[in-house]
Amino acid sequence: MCFLRRPGAPASWIWWRMLRQVLRRGLQSFCHRLGSCVSRHPVFFLTVPAVLTVTFGLGALNRFQPEGDLERLVAPSHSLAKIERSLASSLFPLDQSKSQLYSDLHTPGRYGRVILLSPPGDNILLQAEGILQTHRAVLEMKDGRNSFIGHQLGGVVEVPNSKDQRVKSARAIQITYYLQTYGSATQDLIGEKWENEFCKLMRKLQEEHRDLQLYSLASFSLWRDFHKTSILARSQVLVSLVLILTTATLSSSMKDCLRGKPFLGLLGVLTVCISVITAAGIFFITDGKYNSTLLGIPFFAMGHGTKGVFELLSGWRRTKENLPFKDRVADAYSDVMVTYTMTSSLYFITFGMGASPFTNIEAVKVFCQNMCVSILLNYFYIFSFFGSCLVFAGQLEQNRYHSIFCCKIPSAEYLDRKPVWFQTVMSDGHQQTSHHETNPYQHHFIQHFLREHYNEWITNIYVKPFVVILYLIYASFSFMGCLQISDGANIINLLASDSPSVSYAMVQQKYFSNYSPVIGFYVYEPLEYWNSSVQEDLRRLCSGFTAVSWVEQYYQFLKVSNISANNKSDFISVLQSSFLKKPEFQHFRNDIIFSKAGDENNIIASRLYLVARTSRDKQKEVVEVLEKLRPLSLSKSIRFIVFNPSFVFMDHYSLSVTVPVLIAGFGVLLVLILTFFLVIHPLGNFWLILSVTSIELGVLGLMTLWNIDMDCISILCLIYTLNFAIDHCAPLLYTFVLATEHTRTQCIKSSLQEHGTAILQNVTSFLIGLVPLLFVPSNLTFTLFKCLLLTGGCTLLHCFVILPVFLTFFPPSKKHHKKKKRAKRKEREEIECIEIQENPDHVTTV
């Protein structure tokens, strides 16, 4: 191997180029040896993956267990809200409260809720009989539990010009039945049974009361409807597999019965399937628990695995047909597996970072861990199991066996004597191949379309301005969408769309969105409540809220009773001896914690309840209230915490879900930059970074415009988009920068002809496999479908439209290749002239 120094090139440039060439040749040599090993021992490499699949697949069936804790999955693992909940629970344990308000729970616990909705134009207050019948039926349930009740009115219309905000009518009423389980496992099981009976009762009452609409919800409803997605999607996932199998089989077929490989396309998809089954078995054997977000793993793995399958098929078509089949397999590995190894490594790095401790969402972490195992097994199964299938198919082709019927192909003379249908079925392409065509595989219909039609059209000078305009429109919409990103802390985005939980949430959002959830305001340090400055601080903190406060009630009581309590002893004495003994104020006893030191009583902690006025975007405003109150707890003299069970899901959710994408993106960028001078060509990495960034921002912006929030599913899809873009753009770009044709246009034509078939086959199979997800009635699968559709669409747009045009404008330049070819041509002409002069009689024969 000889390296010539270009005039003016620095010595460091030569060393970098040498290092790149050595690394590239070393990787190609390794992959060539790997292909040779597989071709020499195909039975071994076929048997080992099959045994692994059977072993771990059976283990998956025996160890399957669904995840039962929804909060653990989708709520941020490390959040301040969980610490605040622990503090609130330690100060005011639930099992010490006997006559609680509905608003003083620290956890949702076990409960049953029902919204009674009157017909349009009716007043729910005039249907008291139906409401009371429902209420009595709940209280008289079998295995009934002690409960305390809260109720709210929705769709309220107030009396005009009423000073005390009197209610004229209401459209809906919400009744909540909280159960006292005290944290006991036995009590919890009884509570779960009660909730099941409660939901059955609501369905029965709905049939009896046609004049009322009943929407019920229980504490287990969210988990049930979250897990329901997997049950609903079973048949659609199988349909997706059939569609992908069909597409891969048809796209791998040719009219040439010798060189067509329909069964290899089929076996390639099955290879990915058994690798996913093996990964699932390992996951369950290691005590993993299934959740509905893992539904995306087969689609993610299929998008990467089939890319390797189709690239190996394209690599096989590029090998010399006159070589032995074992050498052809080794050459295909040397040509394809270097790039596939790099892209698989990036998959592993990005999802490995998503599985790191930096990820704060457990569902994302579990998904990324499983995806890492799937990628490793996917890579192993592609070069072993599918490689063995490629060896057997190559042997059949070399021995001239039919690619479908596996029978010996008759000679051309024999075929000429047979009917047309028989010639069509048994033709090996000898009639179509002329003496000018050295590669019979060019008759593949996708390759023929790209070579004869598409390549000329996309590189036409009159098409390029329209492509530039198209990209500007694409970039504008992407940028506009990126400015409107919203977090998806709403759990409804992960539930089955036709479930009772979603119906309940929609009605609640429509009629009960005027007020926030009741927020607990916990003062956890002794405070001088009798001090006027402290009283003023409390009023200032509670301003803007509707407060349920023992402090305000006590101050009002002192004022009405004309009692002076300006010092500690009087304040606490009147509070204990008079205020808390009155029936209307006895429920405040659970809101104050007293301590006794000798003969002196102290108030060491207390709690208030705040309700904020909100608009239709209730969740966003609650997050703003939380972010507003927390800093005040540190800056004010009053030490307090605020808590509501919903805060556990909302607390820094947007930051928690975006961190995995940022880490994965940073990891990809870091790897590409660190290998900038070690890869085939530095400009290849530069263009790859630009392409991946454009695709990622495009998917992010367009999915926002498509009303997709930043929840755990969309975040996982964004991580996948990084890798999917690299998977398809990298081979195209690296082939372009290494091409030695005269012009950039010829180089991009060569790149599309070499890799366009595999890219189009894979993206088409991927997108067709997504179609059945549209028919799964689940918000989770809708999000998955939209994000993956945008991923495939944007990648296809860049590979076949944007890059082929933009690469003809910008570096790398191909002038030095042109100069080299001119020099070689001139040298060849001089040699021919010398030969002619020495032997003039040979001219006529030439």
Side-chain angles (χ1 to χ4, degrees), residues 753-766:
Q753 189 171 339
E754 189 168 329
H755 296 287
T757 302
I759 294 173
L760 194 59
Q761 282 177 303
N762 188 57
V763 176
T764 303
S765 302
F766 180 72

Side-chain angles (χ1 to χ4, degrees), residues 534-786:
V534 173
Q535 296 173 13
E536 185 61 30
D537 287 342
L538 282 173
R539 290 192 185 96
R540 193 178 298 110
L541 286 171
C542 297
S543 62
F545 296 93
T546 301
V548 180
S549 167
W550 69 269
V551 179
E552 287 296 329
Q553 294 289 334
Y554 184 47
Y555 294 157
Q556 188 68 24
F557 171 78
L558 293 175
K559 184 177 179 180
V560 171
S561 303
N562 197 19
I563 299 174
S564 177
N566 297 325
N567 55 61
K568 177 180 178 181
S569 58
D570 292 343
F571 187 90
I572 296 179
S573 176
V574 175
L575 177 65
Q576 290 182 316
S577 60
S578 299
F579 179 76
L580 294 179
K581 289 188 175 181
K582 290 188 173 294
E584 63 271 28
F585 302 128
Q586 284 184 353
H587 59 274
F588 286 128
R589 289 185 178 184
N590 297 316
D591 297 336
I592 308 170
I593 299 178
F594 294 97
S595 69
K596 192 169 184 180
D599 296 333
E600 187 179 28
N601 291 321
N602 297 302
I603 301 176
I604 60 172
S606 69
R607 60 183 173 184
L608 322 175
Y609 301 106
L610 307 177
V611 179
R613 187 90 179 183
T614 59
S615 62
R616 295 299 296 270
D617 196 356
K618 180 177 177 180
Q619 182 174 336
K620 183 178 179 181
E621 295 187 24
V622 171
V623 173
E624 291 176 354
V625 168
L626 178 61
E627 293 176 351
K628 177 183 176 182
L629 286 174
R630 274 186 177 160
L632 294 177
S633 66
L634 301 175
S635 60
K636 296 292 183 180
S637 58
I638 300 175
R639 293 289 179 262
F640 66 90
I641 59 172
V642 288
F643 181 74
N644 180 272
S646 61
F647 289 176
V648 174
F649 296 95
M650 300 178 186
D651 194 10
H652 297 297
Y653 186 87
S654 57
L655 179 62
S656 298
V657 295
T658 53
V659 163
V661 175
L662 295 176
I663 294 175
F666 176 76
V668 170
L669 186 64
L670 183 63
V671 170
L672 292 178
I673 291 176
L674 290 177
T675 59
F676 200 80
F677 297 104
L678 299 178
V679 293
I680 302 170
H681 198 290
L683 278 175
N685 266 18
F686 176 75
W687 273 107
L688 189 59
I689 292 172
L690 291 182
S691 303
V692 171
T693 303
S694 177
I695 293 172
E696 182 76 5
L697 294 179
V699 172
L700 177 61
L702 293 176
M703 81 178 201
T704 304
L705 296 178
W706 206 352
N707 298 323
I708 301 174
D709 296 329
M710 294 287 284
D711 55 22
C712 58
I713 294 297
S714 57
I715 287 301
L716 290 168
C717 290
L718 286 175
I719 297 176
Y720 181 69
T721 300
L722 287 170
N723 298 279
F724 194 82
I726 294 173
D727 221 351
H728 293 76
C729 294
L732 193 69
L733 289 169
Y734 288 144
T735 303
F736 171 80
V737 297
L738 289 175
T740 57
E741 278 75 8
H742 289 183
T743 63
R744 296 190 187 99
T745 300
Q746 291 176 345
C747 290
I748 195 62
K749 286 181 180 179
S750 175
S751 301
L752 283 174
Q753 189 171 339
E754 189 168 329
H755 296 287
T757 302
I759 294 173
L760 194 59
Q761 282 177 303
N762 188 57
V763 176
T764 303
S765 302
F766 180 72
L767 294 179
I768 289 176
L770 296 177
V771 173
L773 291 180
L774 270 176
F775 302 97
V776 181
S778 171
N779 295 330
L780 187 151
T781 53
F782 287 160
T783 302
L784 188 66
F785 169 79
K786 291 178 181 179

Side-chain angles (χ1 to χ4, degrees), residues 138-147 179 190 194:
V138 173
L139 296 182
E140 294 172 0
M141 282 173 54
K142 183 187 293 186
D143 297 322
R145 306 291 300 148
N146 293 329
S147 61
L179 307 183
I190 298 175
W194 184 93

Side-chain angles (χ1 to χ4, degrees), residues 116-124 154-156 169-173 510-511:
L116 294 93
L117 183 66
S118 63
D122 286 1
N123 186 356
I124 193 70
V156 175
S169 65
R171 179 76 194 280
I173 184 171
K510 184 176 182 180
Y511 295 105

